[in-house]
Amino acid sequence: MTDSTNIPEISDLSREVRERESKRGGRFVRYMLLALGTNVMLWGMALTYLKIAPVTYTSEWSLILPGAGAGSTINLDNVGQASSNVSSPYSGSTVDPKVNYKTIAESKAVLKIAAEQLDLPIEEFGKPRIKLIDQTAVLNFSVTGFNPEQARDKSQALYNAFEEQLDKLRANEEKQRAQSLKATLGSAKEKLREAQQALATYEAKSGLTSTDQFKELALNIEQLRKQQVEVVAEHQKANKQLLQLSGNLGVSPQQAADAFVLQADSIFQQNLKDYAESSTTLEIYLSKWGPNHPKVVKEVARQTAAHNALLRRSQLLVGRELDGKGLQLLNLPSAGNRANLFQDLVSVQAQQRGLGGQAESLDKQIVQLETRLNRQVGKAATLQNLQLNLQVAQAVFSSTLAKTDVSKTDVFASYPLVQVLVEPSLPDEPTSPKGKFVLAGAFLGSVLITTGLVLLWTRETIYRRVTLKNV
């Protein structure tokens, strides 16, 4: 009984094994079909891409920005200075001109200009690839086209459009700067005109046209003071001589001058002669006769008449009457030392009076000039300030005018000069599609897909065997 029971069980097991083997063969076929279909689809897509993908060529070229700046300075003698400096584009740490130029080259305005040069829509022209190389001033450009000539032409058009855009930006900057400088120049010109008008008005009002006049006036006062010191010294010297001569003669300088006046008068001299003769005759008569003698009385009358005539004449000539002692002192001999001393006395007195008058005149002139100088001190200061304002206005105007001309050469201040480092190339081979890379990718994909499916089939087979063995 036992045997009859075991025989069916073995028969069922064999049938199950055959069914599993049949299923495993079916799974293998399915995996093979899946692998084949996947590879066919992958290779079909790759070949289709190679067939229908547009062929593109890439033209490469490079630009470089100079690293050094430039500058110029103009010195205007007695006017001022004007300078123009183009600093290095890399002198600042916050702005990199390469980034600015990359943005400009990628801008729609530049791409539009370049596309118009080739009669292409801006969408068809495309956008260039720009790579900035660190630690250098180089910008690398890559421009694609459907053929080598188009790629090169698009590169050249892009460069031309880039330069044209830079020229526009520079011209616009120069225009704005010129407007600003024009306004500044107009303001400087107006200030110069106002300074000139203020100076001219003040010169006409004050009568002072130059500070040199003030300096000359001060110099004249100083010269007059020196001259006054010399004249005062000479006057003191003449005073000492006058006192010495007066002491030697026993007469005053005025008496000596009166003596010369009386001596020069013929009437006075005749009266003096009559008086002298009458006095001599009277002495002779008195030695013989008494005072009542007729001749003595007559001679006394003659002497008295001559004396009265002398007094009247002296009163007329010197302004005062002279007594007998005065007449005796002023009785000058025609020659001799006393006459010479009298002459020296009169000469020294005249010199002394002249020097005194000269000293007084100099003192008056000094006072007048000092008063005039004091009045002109404020005027000279105001005039000097106005002249200084005019000089400053002239310097500012001239410097601004020179800067206006110099700034026209400063066209690379904000947009530095750019040069072509590498000319646009004419590509020999297309950059896309690259058949070798596509086929290699397809092959690698096939290997990966096939390997994956094989591993998956092997894993499932091993799993089923283990399961069957456990059963």
Side-chain angles (χ1 to χ4, degrees):
M1 188 165 205
T2 305
D3 294 338
S4 62
T5 303
N6 291 336
I7 290 173
E9 291 179 358
I10 294 173
S11 179
D12 293 338
L13 179 61
S14 298
R15 187 171 55 254
E16 184 177 357
V17 170
R18 285 195 302 269
E19 290 177 358
R20 291 184 177 182
E21 289 294 333
S22 177
K23 290 180 179 180
R24 184 176 66 177
R27 287 195 306 272
F28 177 77
V29 172
R30 289 196 301 271
Y31 274 102
M32 286 295 293
L33 292 176
L34 180 60
L36 180 61
T38 305
N39 281 281
V40 168
M41 185 178 62
L42 177 63
W43 282 93
M45 292 175 60
L47 294 175
T48 302
Y49 171 76
L50 290 175
K51 185 176 181 179
I52 66 174
V55 180
T56 58
Y57 293 83
T58 302
S59 176
E60 297 181 347
W61 48 288
S62 301
L63 296 179
I64 186 171
L65 278 69
S72 60
T73 301
I74 299 176
N75 291 315
L76 306 174
D77 294 340
N78 300 324
V79 175
Q81 174 178 307
S83 62
S84 173
N85 294 312
V86 182
S87 59
S88 171
Y90 305 99
S91 59
S93 60
T94 57
V95 178
D96 187 352
K98 294 188 299 179
V99 178
N100 293 342
Y101 277 16
K102 179 178 183 295
T103 304
I104 294 174
E106 293 175 342
S107 65
K108 188 175 181 180
V110 173
L111 297 179
K112 182 178 180 181
I113 295 174
E116 289 175 352
Q117 292 179 6
L118 299 178
D119 294 329
L120 294 175
I122 188 172
E123 294 80 9
E124 184 178 342
F125 186 87
K127 192 174 182 180
R129 293 179 58 192
I130 304 175
K131 182 179 180 181
L132 307 180
I133 302 178
D134 295 336
Q135 305 301 322
T136 67
V138 178
L139 293 85
N140 289 334
F141 289 77
S142 298
V143 181
T144 59
F146 296 123
N147 55 66
E149 290 75 13
Q150 188 188 45
R152 183 185 60 184
D153 293 342
K154 288 172 70 176
S155 296
Q156 189 63 46
L158 178 63
Y159 173 71
N160 294 335
F162 178 66
E163 283 287 0
E164 182 178 345
Q165 184 66 13
L166 288 181
D167 291 339
K168 288 181 180 179
L169 292 173
R170 288 165 182 158
N172 186 37
E173 180 191 15
E174 183 179 355
K175 181 180 179 181
Q176 293 178 354
R177 186 183 300 173
Q179 291 176 350
S180 176
L181 288 175
K182 184 178 180 181
T184 303
L185 183 63
S187 177
K189 185 176 181 181
E190 180 62 22
K191 290 181 179 179
L192 176 60
R193 187 193 66 79
E194 292 176 356
Q196 291 174 338
Q197 183 64 33
L199 180 61
T201 302
Y202 188 77
E203 287 178 348
K205 180 180 178 181
S206 64
L208 192 64
T209 60
S210 172
T211 55
D212 292 338
Q213 294 178 260
F214 180 79
K215 294 178 181 178
E216 290 177 0
L217 183 60
L219 182 62
N220 290 338
I221 293 175
E222 187 63 25
Q223 291 177 346
L224 289 177
R225 285 174 177 171
K226 291 181 179 180
Q227 186 177 356
Q228 184 186 35
V229 171
E230 295 176 356
V231 170
V232 170
E234 292 292 331
H235 184 259
Q236 293 177 351
K237 181 180 179 181
N239 282 336
K240 293 180 179 180
Q241 292 179 349
L242 188 63
L243 292 175
Q244 184 176 1
L245 289 173
S246 297
N248 294 335
L249 292 174
V251 295
S252 66
Q254 183 60 44
Q255 290 176 329
D258 293 344
F260 279 102
V261 172
L262 296 177
Q263 187 179 25
D265 186 71
S266 59
I267 298 176
F268 180 83
Q269 292 300 321
Q270 182 61 45
N271 292 331
L272 182 62
K273 181 180 179 182
D274 293 342
Y275 178 76
E277 291 177 354
S278 176
S279 297
T280 302
T281 302
L282 181 59
E283 289 181 357
I284 295 173
Y285 286 172
L286 287 175
S287 63
K288 295 180 179 180
W289 303 303
N292 296 323
H293 190 276
K295 290 184 177 182
V296 173
V297 173
K298 182 180 179 181
E299 199 63 34
V300 169
R302 180 185 172 192
Q303 183 188 36
T304 301
H307 183 265
N308 292 333
L310 285 174
L311 294 178
R312 288 193 302 270
R313 192 60 180 176
S314 64
Q315 175 71 30
L316 179 64
L317 294 176
V318 299
R320 68 178 186 278
E321 293 183 356
L322 299 178
D323 53 7
K325 183 178 181 180
L327 291 174
Q328 185 178 2
L329 289 174
L330 298 180
N331 185 18
L332 299 179
S334 60
N337 292 333
R338 183 174 177 82
N340 293 334
L341 291 175
F342 264 88
Q343 186 174 1
D344 292 341
L345 180 62
V346 174
S347 177
V348 170
Q349 185 186 30
Q351 182 181 4
Q352 185 261 352
R353 289 181 177 178
L355 291 173
Q358 187 176 359
E360 292 179 359
S361 177
L362 289 174
D363 187 66
K364 291 180 180 179
Q365 292 181 21
I366 291 173
V367 171
Q368 292 175 354
L369 293 180
E370 284 180 344
T371 302
R372 181 181 174 187
L373 182 66
N374 292 332
R375 288 197 303 265
Q376 291 186 351
V377 168
K379 294 181 180 180
T382 304
L383 178 65
Q384 190 173 11
N385 290 334
L386 292 174
Q387 290 176 340
L388 181 60
N389 292 338
L390 178 60
Q391 291 177 357
V392 172
Q394 288 175 339
V396 171
F397 176 76
S398 301
S399 299
T400 305
L401 184 61
K403 186 178 180 181
T404 302
D405 295 333
V406 171
S407 63
K408 295 179 181 179
T409 63
D410 184 12
V411 295
F412 303 111
S414 299
Y415 303 96
L417 177 68
V418 63
Q419 295 174 312
V420 178
L421 180 63
V422 179
E423 294 288 344
S425 62
L426 182 64
D428 298 330
E429 298 180 355
T431 55
S432 67
K434 292 186 178 293
K436 294 180 180 180
F437 290 103
V438 174
L439 295 176
F443 175 76
L444 181 60
S446 296
V447 171
L448 293 175
I449 292 173
T450 303
T451 302
L453 291 174
V454 170
L455 292 175
L456 183 62
W457 179 80
T458 303
R459 176 180 176 277
E460 187 174 352
T461 301
I462 294 173
Y463 174 76
R464 289 181 179 275
R465 286 180 180 179
V466 172
T467 303
L468 181 59
K469 184 177 178 181
N470 291 334
V471 172

